Amino acid sequence: MQALSLRSSLSFAPLLFVRPGELRHAEWSEIDFDRKEWRIAAHKMKMREQHIVPLSPQAIEILQTVKLLTGDGQYVFPSIRSGSRPMSENTINAALRRLGYEKEEMTGHGFRSMASTLLHEHGWPHEAIERQLAHAERNALS
């Protein structure tokens, strides 16, 4: 069970490019399958503002698979030791090390940098990328 949950978190991260802590603390109550979005509460965000993450068909598929394993608990990706705690902050980086990536090559946070670079190279608007990374300043019109 833990291996599938970890594999799923590693597949999920590059699709959404949220911060590793946001990923680890994802709760089932925040996932809306009908709206295809993940609403991360403001108190969990670095900038202390709610963040809405659109979920692609691939992300939905991963969540549906994981839900069979962890859907009865609070966390999408719970700790191996206790379902009442989120996955450890070291779990994703340790998995990347076991896959052969050195810490200078890739980290859990590195999915965000990779996404930003690739999206900029493909001509996506800078403001859209920054907003998805939860970097954008909010104003009355947004």
Side-chain angles (χ1 to χ4, degrees):
M1 177 173 105
Q2 181 63 22
L4 180 58
S5 181
L6 176 57
R7 187 173 344 137
S8 296
S9 69
L10 284 170
S11 299
F12 202 56
L15 294 174
L16 306 179
F17 41 100
V18 294
R19 292 176 182 90
E22 295 157 5
L23 179 71
R24 292 185 318 100
H25 287 91
E27 298 182 36
W28 285 114
S29 62
E30 301 168 339
I31 306 295
D32 187 330
F33 284 99
D34 294 329
R35 293 177 121 173
K36 296 181 174 85
E37 63 185 26
W38 171 19
R39 290 181 173 256
I40 306 172
H43 72 275
K44 290 183 168 186
M45 296 298 300
K46 182 178 179 180
M47 302 304 286
R48 300 291 182 227
E49 292 187 23
Q50 181 186 49
H51 186 53
I52 301 171
V53 181
L55 299 172
S56 67
Q58 298 88 342
I60 293 288
E61 185 178 336
I62 291 167
L63 287 170
Q64 288 171 335
T65 299
V66 173
K67 191 162 179 64
L68 298 172
L69 300 172
T70 68
D72 291 338
Q74 176 181 0
Y75 294 102
V76 176
F77 305 109
S79 166
I80 190 171
R81 291 180 177 79
S82 169
S84 63
R85 292 191 339 225
M87 177 186 292
S88 162
E89 63 184 290
N90 296 318
T91 302
I92 290 178
N93 285 338
L96 290 168
R97 300 296 88 69
R98 286 191 303 275
L99 288 170
Y101 292 98
E102 299 293 329
K103 62 183 174 183
E104 296 80 22
E105 293 177 301
M106 188 60 176
T107 64
H109 201 271
F111 290 115
R112 292 171 55 80
S113 299
M114 182 174 22
S116 177
T117 299
L118 290 170
L119 290 170
H120 277 102
E121 287 175 357
H122 284 89
W124 282 83
H126 176 75
E127 296 78 18
I129 297 167
E130 291 299 299
R131 181 126 186 164
Q132 189 57 39
L133 290 168
H135 288 168
E137 286 192 32
R138 307 289 195 244
N139 61 42
L141 300 176
S142 58

